[in-house]
Amino acid sequence: TTTSSSSTSSTSSTSSTSSTSSTSACSERLTWQSLGCSLDLTTLDCSHQNIAAIPVCMALLPSSLETIYMAGNDLTTLLENTFSGLTALRVLRLNNNELTGLPEGIFSDLTAL
């Protein structure tokens, strides 16, 4: 059980599409910070947080992200749109997860990577 005391999180868009189930339910209080991650305009750091799945409603990330650290989690799969629109992304660390495969085209928007 975790409680989020962060009030600095804002959502500019929400998605009501749910094509895949995830281990974390989507709610207003669910933020990257509530998963133990730190997020600013250029960096998302979720290293070593025991994250098994990225909730569908959180797949949209700020387009200004340059760095994503997701190493050392329990991720087994990623959604096709997880990295959509992240044209500024230059660093992506997914090592030490349980990924068994990735959707075709998952990295197609990552032109700076």
Side-chain angles (χ1 to χ4, degrees), residues 16-83:
S16 59
T17 306
S18 111
S19 58
T20 309
S21 64
S22 65
T23 57
S24 301
C26 294
S27 74
E28 292 177 7
R29 296 183 188 175
L30 185 62
T31 64
W32 287 108
Q33 292 82 359
S34 70
L35 293 176
C37 306
S38 64
L39 174 65
D40 62 35
L41 291 176
T42 61
T43 304
L44 172 65
D45 187 353
C46 293
S47 298
H48 308 286
Q49 297 301 320
N50 300 315
I51 298 170
I54 297 174
V56 174
C57 61
M58 293 175 65
L60 298 175
L61 295 166
S63 61
S64 59
L65 279 182
E66 296 177 3
T67 305
I68 296 177
Y69 299 115
M70 294 291 289
N73 284 294
D74 299 318
L75 295 172
T76 57
T77 188
L78 296 172
L79 299 175
E80 184 177 338
N81 68 340
T82 300
F83 305 117

